[in-house]
C-alpha cells in the first residue's frame, strides 16, 4: 500500500495565509524526508480558510523545493477551464519535473454558483460536460485525439515522451464507471462523502478497461485520519473537526477553529444531525486503533494507495500524526 497526503493548505484561527503556505512547504519536505509516496494539493475558491486556490502554481513551488516525492493535484476543476490549457499545464510540469507529476481532476463547480460564474467569466456551467472534457484532456495530453476530432491539429505542448499519471476524483457509482471506462486512476473521496463507498470502489475495480497508458486499475482511498496520544487529544480533534466540517457543510467560515472557540459554540438539532452524518468522513484514534481501522478498510476495498487529509488546528500535532500514519503503513506493508 502506498501513502500520500492531501493538502488543502488550511489556515488556523490567528494565522495568516503566508503562515499556511509556509506550513505546506514544511509539511511536504517532512513528507519527503520520511518517505511518503505522493503529496497532493487541492483547488478551492472563495473560501477564507483554504489557501489552495491554484494547484498548478502550488505544485510548481513544491516540486522545486523537493527532489523525489511525487506531487499531484487533487483535483483541478476541469469543467471551469479548457481541457487543452489544463493538458498544456500538465505537460509543462512533466517536462520540468519528469516522473514526479500526477494530475488529479474533479467535477466540482468550485464553490457557490456565483463563485463558479466569477471563475468562468459568466460562462454556462459545464459540469454535465465532464465526460467529454475528460476525454479531450486525455487526448490533448497524450496526442491521441481521434482523426476526425475538430481539434486534432491542435497539439498540447511541450511535446514530450512521458506523461503524468491521471486520476479522477469520484464519490458515486457513476464516477467510478467513468474512471473505469477511460482506464484512468480513481480517487474515492471518503473525506467528502461515504454514501457510495461500498459500491463505487468495487465497480471501478471490476469494470476497469486496460489501455496503453494504464494496464490495471489503481484505487486511491482518501479520508480524514488523525492519530492521537490519548482520549483527551482525541476528543479535542473530534470536536474541532466536527465544527469545521459543519461550517463547510453550511457554507460558513472555513478557517480551522481552536478548541477554545469550539467550546463556546452551541448547536441546533439540525447541526447535530449534520455533525453525526459527517463522522463517516473521518477516523480519529490512538495508533493501534487507527492501524486496525486502516487494515479493515484495506482488506475490504483493496485500494492501492491511502491518501490522508488532516485539517486540525495545531500544526505540530499534525506533523506527529502524519509520522505515526507512515509508521502504521510501514508495519502493515511489512506484515503482508
Amino acid at each position: 500500500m502506498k501513502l500520500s497526503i492531501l493538502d488543502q493548505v488550511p489556515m488556523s484561527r490567528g494565522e495568516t495565509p503566508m503562515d499556511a503556505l509556509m506550513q505546506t512547504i514544511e509539511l511536504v519536505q517532512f513528507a519527503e524526508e520520511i518517505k511518503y509516496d505522493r503529496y497532493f494539493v487541492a483547488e478551492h475558491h472563495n473560501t477564507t480558510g483554504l489557501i489552495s486556490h491554484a494547484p498548478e502554481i502550488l505544485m510548481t513551488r513544491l516540486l522545486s523545493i523537493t527532489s523525489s516525492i511525487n506531487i499531484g493535484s487533487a483535483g483541478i476543476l476541469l469543467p471551469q477551464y479548457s481541457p487543452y490549457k489544463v493538458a498544456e499545464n500538465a505537460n509543462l510540469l512533466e517536462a520540468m519535473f519528469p516522473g514526479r507529476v500526477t494530475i488529479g481532476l474533479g467535477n466540482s463547480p468550485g464553490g457557490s454558483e456565483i463563485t463558479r460564474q466569477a471563475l468562468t467569466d459568466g460562462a454556462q456551467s459545464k459540469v454535465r460536460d465532464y465526460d467529454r472534457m475528460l476525454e479531450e484532456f486525455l487526448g490533448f495530453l497524450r496526442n491521441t485525439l481521434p482523426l476526425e476530432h475538430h481539434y486534432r491539429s491542435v497539439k498540447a505542448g511541450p511535446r514530450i515522451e512521458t506523461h503524468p499519471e491521471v486520476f479522477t476524483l469520484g464519490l458515486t457509482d457513476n464516477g467510478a464507471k467513468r474512471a473505469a471506462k477511460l482506464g484512468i486512476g480513481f480517487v474515492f473521496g471518503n473525506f467528502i462523502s461515504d454514501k457510495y463507498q461500498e459500491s463505487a470502489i468495487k465497480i471501478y475495480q471490476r469494470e476497469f478497461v486496460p489501455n496503453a497508458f494504464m494496464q490495471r486499475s489503481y484505487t486511491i482511498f482518501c479520508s480524514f485520519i488523525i492519530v492521537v496520544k490519548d482520549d483527551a487529544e482525541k476528543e479535542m480533534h473530534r470536536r474541532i473537526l466536527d465544527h469545521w466540517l459543519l461550517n463547510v457543510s453550511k457554507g460558513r467560515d472555513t478557517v480551522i477553529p481552536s478548541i477554545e472557540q469550539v467550546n463556546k459554540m452551541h448547536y441546533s438539532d439540525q447541526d447535530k444531525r449534520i455533525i453525526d452524518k459527517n463522522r463517516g468522513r473521518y477516523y480519529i484514534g490512538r495508533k493501534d486503533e487507527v492501524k486496525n481501522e486502516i487494515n479493515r478498510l484495506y482488506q475490504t476495498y483493496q485500494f492501492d494507495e491511502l491518501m490522508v487529509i488532516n485539517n486540525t488546528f495545531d500544526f505540530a500535532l499534525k506533523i506527529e500524526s502524519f509520522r505515526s500514519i507512515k509508521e502504521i503503513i510501514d508495519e502493515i506493508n511489512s506484515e503482508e
Side-chain angles (χ1 to χ4, degrees):
M1 184 192 334
K2 290 188 176 182
L3 181 62
S4 55
I5 290 173
L6 172 59
D7 188 0
Q8 297 175 320
V9 196
M11 184 175 72
S12 293
R13 183 67 59 195
E15 294 179 345
T16 67
M18 287 70 76
D19 293 330
L21 288 165
M22 289 306 297
Q23 288 175 1
T24 284
I25 288 172
E26 183 177 341
L27 183 57
V28 73
Q29 291 175 327
F30 171 76
E32 180 173 63
E33 179 185 344
I34 65 171
K35 307 297 184 187
Y36 269 73
D37 295 289
R38 263 193 272 232
Y39 194 101
F40 290 90
V41 292
E43 179 175 354
H44 294 277
H45 299 280
N46 194 24
T47 173
T48 52
L50 302 177
I51 314 302
S52 53
H53 309 308
E56 296 101 326
I57 294 176
L58 269 173
M59 289 170 67
T60 305
R61 174 67 169 139
L62 301 185
L63 284 158
S64 297
I65 58 168
T66 54
S67 59
S68 59
I69 192 170
N70 188 286
I71 304 293
S73 60
I76 296 168
L77 307 180
L78 185 60
Q80 316 318 325
Y81 309 111
S82 150
Y84 175 67
K85 178 59 176 173
V86 177
E88 284 208 318
N89 287 347
N91 276 341
L92 184 56
L93 281 168
E94 176 69 17
M96 290 190 292
F97 305 97
R100 295 186 56 213
V101 177
T102 299
I103 300 297
L105 303 166
N107 194 25
S108 167
S112 64
E113 174 58 18
I114 192 67
T115 303
R116 185 202 65 76
Q117 290 178 15
L119 193 60
T120 61
D121 195 30
Q124 291 290 319
S125 173
K126 293 185 178 179
V127 168
R128 293 184 178 179
D129 293 333
Y130 186 57
D131 285 27
R132 172 190 62 79
M133 298 180 76
L134 192 50
E135 287 188 42
E136 289 187 354
F137 164 79
L138 292 170
F140 283 125
L141 184 77
R142 300 164 174 172
N143 193 28
T144 57
L145 285 174
L147 291 174
E148 66 276 11
H149 196 282
H150 181 65
Y151 297 130
R152 171 67 183 184
S153 63
V154 181
K155 305 301 180 182
R159 304 292 292 277
I160 52 180
E161 295 300 318
T162 63
H163 303 283
E165 287 186 85
V166 179
F167 289 79
T168 180
L169 174 66
L171 308 173
T172 65
D173 294 353
N174 284 339
K177 290 177 181 178
R178 173 187 298 123
K181 178 183 176 183
L182 292 175
I184 59 177
F186 180 59
V187 179
F188 182 79
N190 169 268
F191 73 107
I192 300 174
S193 172
D194 65 343
K195 184 176 180 180
Y196 293 96
Q197 185 168 300
E198 295 297 325
S199 55
I201 295 173
K202 294 176 182 176
I203 287 172
Y204 167 70
Q205 292 169 344
R206 183 178 65 244
E207 298 185 8
F208 180 83
V209 179
N211 57 83
F213 301 94
M214 202 167 188
Q215 285 73 50
R216 56 176 291 273
S217 65
Y218 194 99
T219 310
I220 300 179
F221 185 91
C222 183
S223 187
F224 288 100
I225 302 176
I226 304 175
V227 177
V228 300
K229 297 188 300 290
D230 51 39
D231 288 343
E233 189 180 321
K234 180 178 181 178
E235 178 66 7
M236 178 190 71
H237 284 303
R238 184 184 65 79
R239 296 194 63 207
I240 288 173
L241 192 53
D242 281 344
H243 182 75
W244 185 78
L245 288 172
L246 174 66
N247 278 355
V248 172
S249 299
K250 302 192 83 169
R252 297 173 179 167
D253 181 16
T254 55
V255 174
I256 309 296
S258 67
I259 190 61
E260 291 79 13
Q261 182 185 359
V262 173
N263 284 339
K264 298 176 183 178
M265 299 298 171
H266 299 280
Y267 301 109
S268 67
D269 289 342
Q270 181 194 41
D271 289 342
K272 291 175 182 176
R273 287 192 293 270
I274 294 172
I275 287 171
D276 185 63
K277 182 180 179 182
N278 281 338
R279 287 181 177 169
R281 299 163 62 181
Y282 69 74
Y283 192 81
I284 304 173
R286 293 184 303 275
K287 192 173 179 180
D288 60 323
E289 296 172 326
V290 170
K291 180 179 178 181
N292 289 337
E293 177 64 11
I294 291 175
N295 242 329
R296 183 192 69 80
L297 290 168
Y298 180 57
Q299 295 303 322
T300 302
Y301 301 112
Q302 293 295 300
F303 45 80
D304 301 279
E305 184 168 331
L306 178 66
M307 184 195 296
V308 180
I309 178 172
N310 180 345
N311 288 357
T312 194
F313 180 80
D314 190 312
F315 182 68
L317 293 178
K318 180 186 292 189
I319 287 281
E320 288 310 307
S321 177
F322 279 126
R323 186 194 305 277
S324 295
I325 291 170
K326 180 62 169 68
E327 292 169 353
I328 288 169
I329 299 305
D330 287 347
E331 289 174 12
I332 291 173
N333 287 339
S334 68
E335 292 165 2
E336 284 197 318

